[in-house]
Amino acid sequence: MPAQTPAPIIRPHGGYRTLRAHQVATLIYDNTYWFCERHIRRDDARLRDQMVHAARSGRQNIAEGSRRAGTSNTTEIRLIDVARASLEELLNDYEDYLRQHRLPEWNKDHPEALRIRRVHNTATLPTDDDFRHRYRESQDALNALYSRWLENDDPAIRANALICLIHQANYLLDQLLKELGENFVEQGGFTEHLATLRADHRANAMPTAKSASADAPNCPQCGQPMRQRTASKGRNVGKPFWGCTAYPTCKGTLEIPSTPSPKST
């Protein structure tokens, strides 16, 4: 029977470039940068910086969370949640822009909002292993699908289109957070994963430990073979005793009777 391949210590992680949430967040980041360059006054540098920073945070935290998934599921969940919060902040900025400039805001049933949703529902991007090397090409193709809104001269149309895209990204992140939470409950975190690997390693090494002493007794607590150890502390320091080979899972011990020394004649 072939040897079983051991489970990897670092769990599978990365692959964020094929996540639709990351693709849409990149679209939002790029077009927020261009929107601010064109439609936010130069003397309002603080607002420009805040909007671009929020858009960037939404994108970058998805990437960082995906990379951290290999060693920390909770960190991944926290970072995805940060991305979600950053995009929510950006959403408020675009709504403020429309309100303060007395521009119309589309509701979810506005004809243009419905057209943007249809693009999202029908757009397809490659997800194969070569995707990373064609990322720029794929993002340009995705941007072209929305160009009639995102490159429009009317700032109201551009802002409303970005609001629609932020709602889409937030929905995708909500679904991702739900999935990550369910996986954490079912499979546990990285610490539990390491503990499982350690337990499997000890179980596979058990036959070697069993053969350490042919005359070793069985553990009175779990029935596993025992092996001779030497006490390193306590009142019996330096004295030999039988210890369970399943330690630390089982802490069963047995005394080794001392051999009386021969009497001198």
Side-chain angles (χ1 to χ4, degrees):
M1 183 176 180
Q4 190 174 17
T5 303
I9 295 176
I10 306 300
R11 287 174 162 179
H13 58 284
Y16 57 88
R17 292 177 186 272
T18 60
L19 285 176
R20 177 51 69 91
H22 184 265
Q23 295 163 359
V24 176
T26 300
L27 191 66
I28 293 167
Y29 175 38
D30 290 344
N31 283 277
T32 293
Y33 177 86
W34 297 323
F35 180 90
C36 291
E37 283 285 298
R38 182 166 183 179
H39 298 294
I40 303 297
R41 297 194 315 270
R42 291 285 178 180
D43 59 352
D44 203 351
R46 183 175 181 181
L47 176 60
R48 291 160 59 93
D49 290 345
Q50 287 176 334
M51 290 182 68
V52 172
H53 177 75
R56 182 181 185 277
S57 176
R59 176 183 186 267
Q60 301 300 83
N61 277 291
I62 297 172
E64 185 178 354
S66 178
R67 294 300 305 176
R68 290 299 307 277
T71 56
S72 179
N73 302 83
T74 53
T75 300
E76 179 186 19
I77 291 173
R78 289 193 194 101
L79 288 170
I80 297 299
D81 189 53
V82 170
R84 174 67 169 83
S86 295
L87 290 177
E88 190 72 22
E89 176 187 343
L90 183 63
L91 173 66
N92 279 274
D93 285 332
Y94 278 113
E95 291 173 344
D96 292 345
Y97 178 89
L98 292 174
R99 186 181 65 256
Q100 292 165 1
H101 289 77
R102 291 182 168 81
L103 297 172
E105 181 178 346
W106 302 342
N107 61 38
K108 63 183 181 65
D109 296 321
H110 189 281
E112 294 302 311
L114 295 175
R115 291 188 182 97
I116 289 175
R117 284 209 296 275
R118 281 197 291 272
V119 172
H120 173 80
N121 293 333
T122 58
T124 57
L125 289 175
T127 57
D128 53 274
D129 294 337
D130 192 46
F131 179 84
R132 180 183 182 88
H133 305 292
R134 294 184 286 122
Y135 183 66
R136 170 67 181 274
E137 175 187 337
S138 298
Q139 283 299 140
D140 287 346
L142 184 61
N143 192 77
L145 295 175
Y146 297 95
S147 61
R148 60 178 289 188
W149 301 283
L150 296 178
E151 297 177 12
N152 198 289
D153 291 333
D154 186 346
I157 293 177
R158 295 179 76 159
N160 275 293
L162 282 161
I163 287 174
C164 291
L165 290 171
I166 292 170
H167 281 306
Q168 291 173 7
N170 284 344
Y171 172 79
L172 293 169
L173 290 176
D174 286 341
Q175 296 301 110
L176 180 58
L177 284 169
K178 179 182 178 182
E179 180 183 349
L180 293 173
E182 291 173 349
N183 289 343
F184 183 81
V185 171
E186 293 175 2
Q187 303 172 16
F190 183 65
T191 301
E192 293 171 84
H193 176 62
L194 289 182
T196 300
L197 294 180
R198 175 62 178 156
D200 291 344
H201 175 76
R202 293 185 65 87
N204 293 332
M206 195 67 72
T208 302
K210 289 180 181 179
S211 61
S213 177
D215 59 348
N218 290 332
C219 176
Q221 293 188 21
C222 69
Q224 294 287 347
M226 308 186 82
R227 63 178 175 181
Q228 186 172 314
R229 303 176 184 272
T230 301
S232 59
K233 58 184 178 180
R235 64 178 182 175
N236 294 319
V237 63
K239 292 184 179 180
F241 69 96
W242 293 112
C244 182
T245 54
Y247 179 87
T249 304
C250 176
K251 299 181 179 179
T253 61
L254 285 174
E255 292 186 6
I256 297 179
S258 57
T259 304
S261 58
K263 296 180 179 180
S264 58
T265 55

